[in-house]
Amino acid sequence: MGALAAAVVALPAVRRVATGSASAGFVWLALAGNTALVLGPLLVLARAARRSTAVWRPAFIGVALAAAPVMALGEELKLHTHHRPLGAATFGVLALALVLGSVVVTVRLFGFIGPPVSTARRVAARVLVALAALGLGLVVLRAGASEAYGPNVLDLARVLIVATLADRVLDSARVVTLARRAGVLAWVLLVLVGVFAARGDVRAKIQERAPVLGGPAAWL
């Protein structure tokens, strides 16, 4: 399902990336393969998280709660730091500390709140979820309104939507049976072909125009 979802996600970005000299076929294979490299493990983690909601749910909410503070930190550093490499390194360290701190605090808060057996506990949990959603929504809206990051936000939204649909499709026993027969082989082949296709000019165009779909090679 990760391979199939990646193949679908990559289609709308092919024209944007292939404009110029790049081959549309190679671009699609590169985008699909490198996206599958991320979507496959992501779906595995999503299935595991659904089986252990009590552990993963507070951690995901903690990450979402850190989104707005991390955005504010980035804006402040960009405005007041003139040495870009130093600012980037500082942002990386402080952002990681913010995210980890937010996760630890959120997990402890949910542990203190406990199971939602009373109205007060349910309200407290819902307040944390609402704050996380608002913070994450603010970051998405700000990034989506940016001319530079708008296409990347759309790519990310498409990845998350298709991944969610793929996760739901895996609830079907028939789909799981088919996936077990040929799923891993299809995923491995698509990833290998995608890594091979994402070279030279194709890789450069992906990094410039669709880094979200370029996989770890485009993020590093």
Side-chain angles (χ1 to χ4, degrees):
M1 288 307 300
L4 181 60
V8 173
V9 166
L11 284 173
V14 170
R15 185 176 180 181
R16 182 173 80 243
V17 176
T19 300
S21 59
S23 166
F26 269 88
V27 167
W28 178 74
L29 288 173
L31 291 173
N34 283 279
T35 303
L37 181 60
V38 177
L39 270 183
L42 181 63
L43 286 174
V44 173
L45 290 175
R47 305 300 290 181
R50 291 174 65 182
R51 292 191 293 266
S52 56
T53 306
V55 176
W56 288 99
R57 184 169 178 263
F60 289 146
I61 293 174
V63 173
L65 284 170
V70 167
M71 179 183 69
L73 171 66
E75 289 178 343
E76 286 297 315
L77 287 175
K78 185 176 181 180
L79 288 174
H80 299 101
T81 304
H82 300 291
H83 193 277
R84 291 303 183 206
L86 177 61
T90 303
F91 174 75
V93 173
L94 294 181
L96 179 61
L98 274 173
V99 171
L100 293 179
S102 178
V103 169
V104 170
V105 171
T106 305
V107 170
R108 288 186 175 273
L109 281 174
F110 271 92
F112 176 75
I113 293 171
V117 295
S118 65
T119 302
R121 290 180 176 182
R122 285 196 296 269
V123 169
R126 288 173 181 175
V127 166
L128 288 175
V129 172
L131 289 175
L134 287 173
L136 193 58
L138 176 62
V139 173
V140 171
L141 288 174
R142 290 286 300 275
S146 168
E147 184 177 349
Y149 298 110
N152 294 331
V153 173
L154 292 177
D155 287 342
L156 179 59
R158 193 165 61 252
V159 168
L160 295 177
I161 291 171
V162 174
T164 302
L165 293 175
D167 182 62
R168 292 294 180 264
V169 170
L170 284 170
D171 290 335
S172 169
R174 181 177 296 180
V175 172
V176 171
T177 301
L178 291 173
R180 284 174 176 169
R181 291 177 181 174
V184 174
L185 178 60
W187 181 81
V188 170
L189 286 176
L190 183 59
V191 169
L192 290 177
V193 171
V195 171
F196 176 79
R199 299 185 304 169
D201 184 53
V202 173
R203 181 177 181 179
K205 287 184 180 297
I206 290 175
Q207 288 178 323
E208 178 186 356
R209 300 172 184 177
V212 172
L213 305 180
W219 304 341
L220 299 176

